[in-house]
Amino acid sequence: MAIPSYAPRYALARTVVVSFSLLFISFTLLFSCRPPFKTTLSKFSPFTTSQTPYTAAIIYLARLSHADELLESLASVNVYLPLRDPWPIILFHTGDFDDTPVQDDFLARLREKIGGASNRSDWDFSDRVEFVKLDWELPEGIPHTKEELNPVSPSSWPGYHHMCAFYSTKIFFNPRLQDVTYYLRMDTDSLFLEPLCYDPFEVMHTRQRSYGYLGVGNDAPIVTKGLWRFIRNYVDSHPREVELQLNASKTWKWPIGSTNGDVDLDDLSVSGYYNNFEIVKLEEFRKPEVKEWLYHLIQYPEGFYKWRWGDAPLRWVTTQMFFNIERDTERLCGIRYYHPYNYLEHCDCVPLHP
């Protein structure tokens, strides 16, 4: 009797097994070897974690006269800031970058500075830069000359005062940022000095923080005149919300002797974040109770334009009034960062996902 041949069946089975094995290995490699930067269909599309999606932006307030230091700052962002997505870089300006040739020249200098296409994302770094114009005008009731107003800081008036008002209040309602979850602010003279071991936006989102900072300093009494009284009056008019919050805070302290008039409040400094670097969750500053406070500030423009109240102490006051500092804020450790007026105590960089 002839012995049946099983060779064709074995060959077919071997082909199926080999094909399946190769397919399995291919899928395993595809999903296990995740690139350090996610490729997206849209370069500004939301980044999705296990939580809700979010969007982000890096923002500057830029002047053409400071273009050289801005280029240095942007180059440090390109090299040292490990972002999971190529988020937009928004250069707010008041007219310096209106003309297309000026913008093109700046972007060409940026590409030359960083050596062409960035190797840190699928998009050329310069393609992420946007120019957004701000229309700044002196508020009603504020004189248009220094001689008539006699501001505390005449040498920087009104540009610096506009900046303080913008970052203290108006930034949260800028149309370009309406659909942005988080912004990271940098100044043109800010620099990252070493690689960061985590994506700061991802830290904020994963830990559900509303405000991220590097350190706390203070503004001198010469530029906080009247601010303590302004805060006290607002708190007294909101005893059930703001006063209870401040009294429960472990980080808020009223000046000693301020309640009985033993001290002149104009002789006292006010604490403030070094917010030339900050990460802000915008929707938290748009809540009704926070908006009421910000509107109260806007209704007293002398605070910004005569007394030069700064955005640093006002950011500190705002977070103290409306946030749980332990739960809602994050000191972002490990960021080796330079700014001419900062003194920072460094803490170790700990990866979010070791």
Side-chain angles (χ1 to χ4, degrees):
M1 182 174 64
I3 300 174
S5 174
Y6 293 95
R9 289 190 225 170
Y10 287 145
L12 177 61
R14 186 166 58 249
T15 301
V16 171
V17 169
V18 170
S19 299
F20 179 82
S21 299
L22 290 173
L23 184 63
F24 176 80
I25 292 171
S26 298
F27 273 94
T28 301
L29 291 173
L30 176 64
F31 289 103
S32 63
C33 299
R34 185 176 64 181
F37 293 88
K38 189 185 74 169
T39 303
T40 57
L41 294 177
S42 168
K43 65 177 178 177
F44 303 145
S45 63
F47 170 61
T48 305
T49 64
S50 58
Q51 305 174 54
T52 57
Y54 69 88
T55 59
I58 299 169
I59 68 171
Y60 287 84
L61 189 54
R63 287 187 292 176
L64 194 56
S65 60
H66 291 187
D68 288 343
E69 64 182 20
L70 175 57
L71 289 169
E72 293 288 344
S73 181
L74 288 169
S76 77
V77 169
N78 178 56
V79 173
Y80 294 137
L81 193 62
L83 301 181
R84 294 290 302 268
D85 278 74
W87 301 117
I89 300 164
I90 301 171
L91 304 185
F92 289 110
H93 66 97
T94 58
D96 290 21
F97 293 93
D98 260 0
D99 297 332
T100 300
V102 174
Q103 296 179 10
D104 291 344
D105 178 69
F106 178 83
L107 295 176
R109 292 178 62 192
L110 177 59
R111 285 190 288 271
E112 182 180 0
K113 182 74 176 177
I114 63 177
S118 168
N119 60 2
R120 302 191 67 83
S121 77
D122 293 328
W123 294 86
D124 188 286
F125 186 80
S126 65
D127 287 345
R128 295 159 55 187
V129 175
E130 300 178 25
F131 300 90
V132 177
K133 185 179 180 181
L134 302 171
D135 295 315
W136 282 352
E137 296 181 356
L138 289 171
E140 185 177 349
I142 296 297
H144 286 222
T145 64
K146 288 187 286 188
E147 292 74 20
E148 189 177 355
L149 180 62
N150 191 27
V152 164
S153 182
S155 62
S156 62
W157 189 88
Y160 197 90
H161 302 67
H162 279 309
M163 182 276 292
C164 291
F166 174 69
Y167 276 127
S168 295
T169 59
K170 300 174 184 178
I171 182 69
F172 309 117
F173 313 105
N174 184 273
R176 175 59 186 86
L177 299 179
Q178 285 306 298
D179 296 323
V180 173
T181 313
Y182 303 96
Y183 76 68
L184 186 161
R185 171 190 170 181
M186 294 277 285
D187 280 2
T188 56
D189 52 357
S190 300
L191 290 171
F192 292 106
L193 302 176
E194 296 178 13
L196 183 58
C197 72
Y198 57 80
D199 178 344
F201 289 126
E202 192 179 358
V203 167
M204 295 287 291
H205 194 66
T206 301
R207 296 178 180 168
Q208 301 182 50
R209 306 303 198 209
S210 301
Y211 188 74
Y213 66 98
L214 298 182
V216 178
N218 61 70
D219 262 16
I222 192 172
V223 291
T224 58
K225 291 185 183 298
L227 182 53
W228 275 118
R229 285 189 296 275
F230 187 88
I231 297 167
R232 181 76 263 182
N233 291 338
Y234 190 83
V235 171
D236 288 345
S237 65
H238 295 74
R240 294 187 177 181
E241 316 98 74
V242 181
E243 188 167 29
L244 286 176
Q245 164 75 12
L246 293 180
N247 290 340
S249 173
K250 296 179 181 179
T251 52
W252 178 263
K253 293 181 180 180
W254 290 106
I256 297 174
S258 62
T259 56
N260 54 22
D262 288 347
V263 297
D264 185 349
L265 295 176
D266 284 344
D267 292 335
L268 303 177
S269 62
V270 181
S271 294
Y273 292 111
Y274 289 124
N275 68 324
N276 42 69
F277 175 100
E278 64 179 357
I279 299 183
V280 169
K281 188 174 185 180
L282 284 154
E283 67 179 5
E284 297 301 316
F285 288 82
R286 296 170 180 154
K287 290 182 175 179
E289 61 273 22
V290 184
K291 287 172 67 175
E292 182 182 353
W293 157 248
L294 298 178
Y295 182 74
H296 192 65
L297 284 167
I298 293 172
Q299 291 299 104
Y300 183 66
E302 290 87 349
F304 296 113
Y305 291 95
K306 182 173 178 61
W307 306 114
R308 213 237 71 180
W309 292 353
D311 48 298
L314 286 171
R315 186 76 81 248
W316 166 265
V317 171
T318 301
T319 57
Q320 295 287 326
M321 282 182 170
F322 302 105
F323 294 173
N324 181 314
I325 298 301
E326 293 183 354
R327 183 191 65 211
D328 298 331
T329 68
E330 178 83 14
R331 183 186 176 198
L332 294 161
C333 281
I335 298 179
R336 297 298 182 260
Y337 170 86
Y338 169 79
H339 186 272
Y341 303 106
N342 284 21
Y343 172 74
L344 299 174
E345 294 183 4
H346 290 299
C347 45
D348 292 336
C349 192
V350 178
L352 180 62
H353 305 294

